[in-house]
Amino acid sequence: MMNVIGIESSCDETSVAVISDELLTANLISSQDFHVKYGGVVPELSSRAHLQIVLPLIKDALELSKISLADIDVICATAGPGLIGALLVGLTFAKGLAYSLNKPFVPVNHIEGHVYSGFLMPEKPEFPMLAIVVSGGHTLLLLVKSFTEIQKLGSTVDDAAGEAFDKVAKMLGFEYPGGPKIQKAAELGNKETVIFPVADLKDPYNFSFSGLKTSVLRYVQKNFKDNIIPDEQKNNISASFQDAVIRAITRNVERALRNYKIKSLTLVGGVAANQPIRSALTSLAEKHNKKIIIPDMQFCGDNAAMIAFRGLKLFESGKRFDLNYNPFPGIPENHFTS
Ligand code: KG4
Ligand code: ZN
């Protein structure tokens, strides 16, 4: 029996997961809701909260999985990218655990965790797969050839998709994180209200969301004095903005579907929780006769299940890491080629 534990603490979610013989037996996620009143994540407070909750979460995850510390075979933790103080909590904890149990420690790249999160679903993606990663910090279009080979096709040249959702939400007076609020408001709005432009870039697979964000700001400034926006208009702007994000994503994904031979498509990262984006990509996959795997909600936002799974695959592929492993100040080792 092979038991793998994963720890995630890159931002404002502390999460601990256990995979026993390829089966996920626990994926506990504790979200730090108190950042709401600051309008965004406060790094120092985040680190302290991770420190308070990580041990109780480990205890609960082991209990749920009906195993004890001594049964753990591999210890995985997110090594970055993310908030350094927050990362250090999970990473250092994992190293300490590995040292005391004399078991291997596997540092995991957070984005790679998201990339393979579709494998946590009952129906698995197949390589080569096209992955669209949309999170608060990253927007990437990747050609994933195996568990060790990822070719980067494109990325955002400015804001990440989730960042754009959060910034536009702020303009409309919604609380952080704004993505879910925009989605909710958009359900009641009319996306034809404003046709916000999608940036045309030289590279067909790159994204830009900064211009879109500015377009929304200009529209708000021009049409609403003193920033007083009636709810009906907030709904319409949300729907129009979300539609522009969908157009940007589907355009690039469709280009890649036309130009690369792939077996499956996957949509991952926090923004993959967005229902209209999920629907749009599902339709696109159907149109191109491709299998699409979009992880369940619990695997879209930050979670340790994806970290344990990614760590397990690295371990199985023969990767071994020293306890001296230090990903800082750079981004930890990843398997991207361009
Ligand atoms: O992957 P994630 O949990 O953290 C990072 O690694 O960045 O992504 C968080 C992002 C936030 O920007 C949040 O607003 C966005 O995901 N998000 C959404 C939705 N749920 C979360 N964006 C759009 N629609 C949603 N339903
Ligand atoms: Zn993430």
Side-chain angles (χ1 to χ4, degrees):
M1 183 145 188
M2 168 93 149
N3 294 312
V4 182
I5 190 164
I7 304 176
E8 154 66 33
S9 69
S10 66
C11 192
D12 57 346
E13 259 94 30
T14 321
S15 180
V16 177
V18 174
I19 295 179
S20 283
D21 279 342
E22 310 277 321
L23 209 77
L24 182 69
T25 51
N27 183 35
L28 303 178
I29 304 169
S30 165
S31 295
Q32 304 172 357
D33 300 329
F34 58 81
H35 295 292
V36 166
K37 57 179 177 288
Y38 307 104
V41 178
V42 184
E44 174 69 17
L45 296 182
S46 166
S47 313
R48 290 172 192 225
H50 285 304
L51 201 52
Q52 278 182 329
I53 198 79
V54 68
L55 188 56
L57 276 187
I58 289 177
K59 281 187 171 164
D60 289 351
L62 293 177
E63 207 175 292
L64 252 175
S65 309
K66 300 190 172 60
I67 59 168
S68 66
L69 270 182
D71 301 321
I72 297 175
D73 299 297
V74 183
I75 297 130
C76 315
T78 304
L83 304 170
I84 286 200
L87 284 165
L88 275 175
V89 175
L91 192 65
T92 313
F93 208 98
K95 282 185 178 185
L97 210 55
Y99 180 72
S100 64
L101 300 173
N102 197 22
K103 289 289 157 65
F105 154 73
V106 182
V108 173
N109 177 292
H110 180 84
I111 304 167
E112 293 185 2
H114 279 300
V115 168
Y116 295 103
S117 57
F119 285 88
L120 295 163
M121 299 300 290
E123 198 191 349
K124 315 289 177 205
E126 279 175 80
F127 299 127
M129 84 175 169
L130 184 67
I132 169 84
V133 186
V134 274
S135 75
H138 303 272
T139 304
L140 292 159
L141 190 57
L142 307 169
L143 183 61
V144 186
K145 298 172 183 170
S146 68
F147 283 117
T148 49
E149 226 185 319
I150 303 173
Q151 185 187 340
K152 186 168 120 186
L153 302 181
S155 62
T156 180
V157 297
D158 40 58
D159 293 351
E163 195 180 349
F165 266 97
D166 295 336
K167 286 178 177 169
V168 167
K170 211 167 192 170
M171 287 175 211
L172 300 179
F174 298 140
E175 279 182 341
Y176 178 87
K181 276 106 192 165
I182 296 244
Q183 181 187 324
K184 196 149 178 274
E187 280 164 19
L188 305 168
N190 174 8
K191 66 179 187 189
E192 318 287 341
T193 308
V194 206
I195 307 298
F196 290 118
V198 167
D200 241 321
L201 303 167
K202 215 170 73 212
D203 192 311
Y205 302 121
N206 276 349
F207 300 88
S208 165
F209 293 106
S210 163
L212 171 59
K213 174 193 67 188
T214 310
S215 303
V216 177
L217 181 66
R218 295 247 167 79
Y219 181 84
V220 168
Q221 287 172 336
K222 195 174 142 214
N223 292 283
F224 306 99
K225 293 269 166 292
D226 303 322
N227 220 16
I228 297 165
I229 316 168
D231 281 349
E232 196 190 332
Q233 292 309 311
K234 284 186 183 178
N235 297 341
N236 289 339
I237 296 167
S238 294
S240 297
F241 162 75
Q242 185 176 265
D243 186 63
V245 175
I246 292 174
R247 278 184 278 126
I249 293 173
T250 50
R251 183 190 65 184
N252 290 14
V253 170
E254 184 152 37
R255 283 171 178 163
L257 285 174
R258 289 215 168 95
N259 293 327
Y260 291 92
K261 275 204 164 58
I262 56 124
K263 285 208 173 125
S264 58
L265 171 67
T266 189
L267 166 72
V268 296
V271 182
N274 184 282
Q275 205 52 57
I277 298 179
R278 295 168 84 94
S279 308
L281 282 185
T282 304
S283 306
L284 190 65
E286 274 164 13
K287 180 176 153 193
H288 288 264
N289 244 327
K290 298 291 178 205
K291 168 160 136 177
I292 181 163
I293 308 289
I294 309 176
D296 275 353
M297 293 303 184
Q298 61 160 328
F299 306 129
C300 284
D302 293 341
N303 67 89
M306 68 182 193
I307 302 304
F309 179 81
R310 176 62 185 145
L312 172 63
K313 290 296 151 191
L314 285 175
F315 185 76
E316 284 175 351
S317 69
K319 287 261 176 190
R320 295 296 178 269
F321 302 84
D322 212 81
L323 275 183
N324 286 333
Y325 179 85
N326 178 13
F328 307 112
I331 291 178
E333 175 175 357
N334 66 43
H335 299 83
F336 292 13
T337 55
S338 46

